[in-house]
Structures are given as C-alpha cells and as structure tokens.
Short mmCIF file of all heavy atoms in Angstrom, two decimals:
data_model
loop_
_atom_site.label_atom_id
_atom_site.label_comp_id
_atom_site.label_asym_id
_atom_site.label_seq_id
_atom_site.Cartn_x
_atom_site.Cartn_y
_atom_site.Cartn_z
N GLY A 293 -27.56 -25.26 200.56
CA GLY A 293 -28.23 -24.78 201.77
C GLY A 293 -28.93 -25.87 202.55
O GLY A 293 -29.52 -25.60 203.60
N SER A 294 -28.89 -27.11 202.04
CA SER A 294 -29.57 -28.22 202.71
C SER A 294 -28.86 -29.51 202.35
O SER A 294 -27.99 -29.55 201.48
CB SER A 294 -31.03 -28.29 202.26
OG SER A 294 -31.11 -28.65 200.89
N LEU A 295 -29.25 -30.58 203.03
CA LEU A 295 -28.67 -31.89 202.74
C LEU A 295 -28.98 -32.32 201.31
O LEU A 295 -28.12 -32.86 200.61
CB LEU A 295 -29.22 -32.93 203.73
CG LEU A 295 -28.71 -34.36 203.55
CD1 LEU A 295 -27.21 -34.45 203.74
CD2 LEU A 295 -29.42 -35.30 204.53
N GLU A 296 -30.19 -32.06 200.85
CA GLU A 296 -30.56 -32.45 199.50
C GLU A 296 -29.73 -31.70 198.46
O GLU A 296 -29.28 -32.28 197.47
CB GLU A 296 -32.06 -32.19 199.27
CG GLU A 296 -32.99 -33.14 199.99
CD GLU A 296 -33.06 -32.90 201.49
OE1 GLU A 296 -32.67 -31.77 201.93
OE2 GLU A 296 -33.48 -33.80 202.22
N GLU A 297 -29.52 -30.40 198.69
CA GLU A 297 -28.71 -29.62 197.76
C GLU A 297 -27.26 -30.08 197.80
O GLU A 297 -26.58 -30.13 196.76
CB GLU A 297 -28.80 -28.13 198.10
CG GLU A 297 -30.16 -27.53 197.81
CD GLU A 297 -30.23 -26.06 198.16
OE1 GLU A 297 -29.16 -25.49 198.52
OE2 GLU A 297 -31.32 -25.48 198.10
N LEU A 298 -26.75 -30.44 198.98
CA LEU A 298 -25.39 -30.94 199.09
C LEU A 298 -25.23 -32.23 198.31
O LEU A 298 -24.24 -32.43 197.59
CB LEU A 298 -25.02 -31.16 200.56
CG LEU A 298 -23.63 -31.74 200.84
CD1 LEU A 298 -22.54 -30.83 200.26
CD2 LEU A 298 -23.43 -31.94 202.33
N ARG A 299 -26.21 -33.11 198.42
CA ARG A 299 -26.17 -34.35 197.65
C ARG A 299 -26.12 -34.07 196.16
O ARG A 299 -25.36 -34.69 195.41
CB ARG A 299 -27.40 -35.20 197.97
CG ARG A 299 -27.37 -35.91 199.29
CD ARG A 299 -28.65 -36.69 199.46
NE ARG A 299 -28.61 -37.55 200.62
CZ ARG A 299 -29.62 -38.32 201.00
NH1 ARG A 299 -30.73 -38.34 200.29
NH2 ARG A 299 -29.53 -39.08 202.07
N GLY A 300 -26.94 -33.14 195.72
CA GLY A 300 -26.98 -32.81 194.30
C GLY A 300 -25.65 -32.26 193.82
O GLY A 300 -25.18 -32.62 192.73
N GLU A 301 -25.03 -31.38 194.60
CA GLU A 301 -23.75 -30.82 194.21
C GLU A 301 -22.66 -31.89 194.17
O GLU A 301 -21.83 -31.92 193.25
CB GLU A 301 -23.34 -29.69 195.17
CG GLU A 301 -24.23 -28.46 195.11
CD GLU A 301 -24.18 -27.77 193.76
OE1 GLU A 301 -23.22 -27.99 193.00
OE2 GLU A 301 -25.11 -27.00 193.45
N LEU A 302 -22.66 -32.77 195.15
CA LEU A 302 -21.66 -33.83 195.17
C LEU A 302 -21.85 -34.79 194.01
O LEU A 302 -20.88 -35.26 193.39
CB LEU A 302 -21.71 -34.58 196.50
CG LEU A 302 -21.16 -33.82 197.70
CD1 LEU A 302 -21.42 -34.58 198.99
CD2 LEU A 302 -19.66 -33.57 197.55
N ASP A 303 -23.09 -35.11 193.69
CA ASP A 303 -23.36 -35.97 192.54
C ASP A 303 -22.84 -35.33 191.26
O ASP A 303 -22.39 -36.02 190.34
CB ASP A 303 -24.86 -36.24 192.41
CG ASP A 303 -25.36 -37.24 193.44
OD1 ASP A 303 -24.53 -37.96 194.01
OD2 ASP A 303 -26.58 -37.28 193.67
N ALA A 304 -22.90 -34.02 191.21
CA ALA A 304 -22.50 -33.31 189.99
C ALA A 304 -20.98 -33.21 189.85
O ALA A 304 -20.47 -33.15 188.72
CB ALA A 304 -23.10 -31.91 189.98
N VAL A 305 -20.24 -33.19 190.97
CA VAL A 305 -18.81 -32.91 190.87
C VAL A 305 -17.91 -34.12 191.09
O VAL A 305 -16.77 -34.14 190.61
CB VAL A 305 -18.39 -31.79 191.85
CG1 VAL A 305 -19.19 -30.52 191.60
CG2 VAL A 305 -18.55 -32.23 193.31
N LEU A 306 -18.39 -35.12 191.81
CA LEU A 306 -17.52 -36.25 192.09
C LEU A 306 -17.35 -37.13 190.85
O LEU A 306 -18.29 -37.36 190.09
CB LEU A 306 -18.08 -37.09 193.25
CG LEU A 306 -18.03 -36.43 194.62
CD1 LEU A 306 -18.65 -37.34 195.66
CD2 LEU A 306 -16.60 -36.08 195.02
N ARG A 307 -16.18 -37.66 190.70
CA ARG A 307 -15.90 -38.52 189.54
C ARG A 307 -16.74 -39.78 189.60
O ARG A 307 -16.93 -40.38 190.66
CB ARG A 307 -14.42 -38.91 189.53
CG ARG A 307 -13.48 -37.75 189.32
CD ARG A 307 -12.09 -38.27 188.99
NE ARG A 307 -11.60 -39.18 189.98
CZ ARG A 307 -10.80 -38.84 190.98
NH1 ARG A 307 -10.46 -37.58 191.12
NH2 ARG A 307 -10.36 -39.74 191.83
N PRO A 308 -17.27 -40.25 188.45
CA PRO A 308 -18.04 -41.50 188.41
C PRO A 308 -17.27 -42.67 189.01
O PRO A 308 -17.86 -43.53 189.67
CB PRO A 308 -18.29 -41.71 186.92
CG PRO A 308 -18.26 -40.34 186.34
CD PRO A 308 -17.22 -39.61 187.13
N ALA A 309 -15.96 -42.70 188.82
CA ALA A 309 -15.16 -43.80 189.38
C ALA A 309 -15.23 -43.80 190.90
O ALA A 309 -15.27 -44.86 191.53
CB ALA A 309 -13.72 -43.68 188.92
N ALA A 310 -15.24 -42.61 191.50
CA ALA A 310 -15.30 -42.55 192.96
C ALA A 310 -16.67 -43.00 193.45
O ALA A 310 -16.79 -43.71 194.45
CB ALA A 310 -15.03 -41.12 193.43
N LEU A 311 -17.74 -42.60 192.71
CA LEU A 311 -19.07 -43.02 193.11
C LEU A 311 -19.25 -44.52 192.97
O LEU A 311 -19.96 -45.15 193.75
CB LEU A 311 -20.11 -42.29 192.25
CG LEU A 311 -20.19 -40.78 192.45
CD1 LEU A 311 -21.17 -40.19 191.45
CD2 LEU A 311 -20.58 -40.43 193.86
N ALA A 312 -18.59 -45.11 191.99
CA ALA A 312 -18.75 -46.54 191.74
C ALA A 312 -18.09 -47.41 192.80
O ALA A 312 -18.34 -48.60 192.88
CB ALA A 312 -18.16 -46.88 190.37
N GLN A 313 -17.25 -46.81 193.65
CA GLN A 313 -16.58 -47.59 194.68
C GLN A 313 -17.49 -47.94 195.85
O GLN A 313 -17.16 -48.79 196.66
CB GLN A 313 -15.37 -46.81 195.22
CG GLN A 313 -14.27 -46.64 194.19
CD GLN A 313 -13.15 -45.78 194.71
OE1 GLN A 313 -13.18 -45.30 195.84
NE2 GLN A 313 -12.13 -45.57 193.89
N ALA A 314 -18.63 -47.29 195.95
CA ALA A 314 -19.54 -47.58 197.06
C ALA A 314 -20.09 -48.99 196.94
O ALA A 314 -20.48 -49.43 195.86
CB ALA A 314 -20.70 -46.58 197.06
N PRO A 315 -20.16 -49.74 198.06
CA PRO A 315 -20.71 -51.09 198.00
C PRO A 315 -22.17 -51.07 197.57
O PRO A 315 -22.90 -50.14 197.86
CB PRO A 315 -20.60 -51.58 199.45
CG PRO A 315 -19.69 -50.63 200.14
CD PRO A 315 -19.71 -49.36 199.37
N ALA A 316 -22.59 -52.10 196.88
CA ALA A 316 -23.96 -52.16 196.37
C ALA A 316 -24.95 -52.64 197.41
O ALA A 316 -26.14 -52.57 197.21
CB ALA A 316 -24.01 -53.07 195.16
N GLY A 317 -24.47 -53.17 198.53
CA GLY A 317 -25.39 -53.55 199.60
C GLY A 317 -25.33 -54.99 199.98
O GLY A 317 -26.10 -55.44 200.82
N GLY A 318 -24.41 -55.77 199.44
CA GLY A 318 -24.32 -57.19 199.80
C GLY A 318 -23.64 -57.42 201.11
O GLY A 318 -24.17 -58.04 202.00
N SER A 319 -22.42 -56.90 201.28
CA SER A 319 -21.68 -57.08 202.52
C SER A 319 -21.21 -55.74 203.02
O SER A 319 -21.09 -54.81 202.29
CB SER A 319 -20.45 -57.94 202.35
OG SER A 319 -20.48 -58.80 201.32
N ALA A 320 -20.90 -55.70 204.29
CA ALA A 320 -20.37 -54.49 204.90
C ALA A 320 -18.93 -54.31 204.48
O ALA A 320 -18.29 -55.23 204.01
CB ALA A 320 -20.45 -54.60 206.42
N PRO A 321 -18.35 -53.07 204.64
CA PRO A 321 -16.97 -52.85 204.29
C PRO A 321 -16.02 -53.79 205.02
O PRO A 321 -14.93 -54.04 204.56
CB PRO A 321 -16.73 -51.39 204.72
CG PRO A 321 -18.08 -50.76 204.64
CD PRO A 321 -19.04 -51.85 205.03
N ASP A 322 -16.41 -54.31 206.16
CA ASP A 322 -15.53 -55.21 206.89
C ASP A 322 -15.73 -56.66 206.46
O ASP A 322 -15.16 -57.58 207.02
CB ASP A 322 -15.76 -55.10 208.41
CG ASP A 322 -17.17 -55.50 208.82
OD1 ASP A 322 -18.00 -55.81 207.93
OD2 ASP A 322 -17.45 -55.52 210.02
N GLY A 323 -16.58 -56.87 205.45
CA GLY A 323 -16.77 -58.21 204.92
C GLY A 323 -17.77 -59.04 205.68
O GLY A 323 -17.93 -60.22 205.40
N GLY A 324 -18.46 -58.46 206.66
CA GLY A 324 -19.40 -59.24 207.45
C GLY A 324 -20.58 -59.70 206.61
O GLY A 324 -21.13 -58.92 205.84
#
C-alpha cells in the first residue's frame, strides 16, 4: 500500500543474485 511496503515485498521475493547486480556506488552504469 506504500513505497516502503513495496520495497519490503520486493526485497522478500527477488533473487539475491538479481539484487547483487546493483552497482555499489563507484561508477555510473555508463562507466562515468
């Protein structure tokens, strides 16, 4: 019913491998 609840549901159902693909914060997806 809210953004916070959506985040919680996605955290619960998405595969850990998919979550691990997110960049950690060093460079942008375009390599900048």
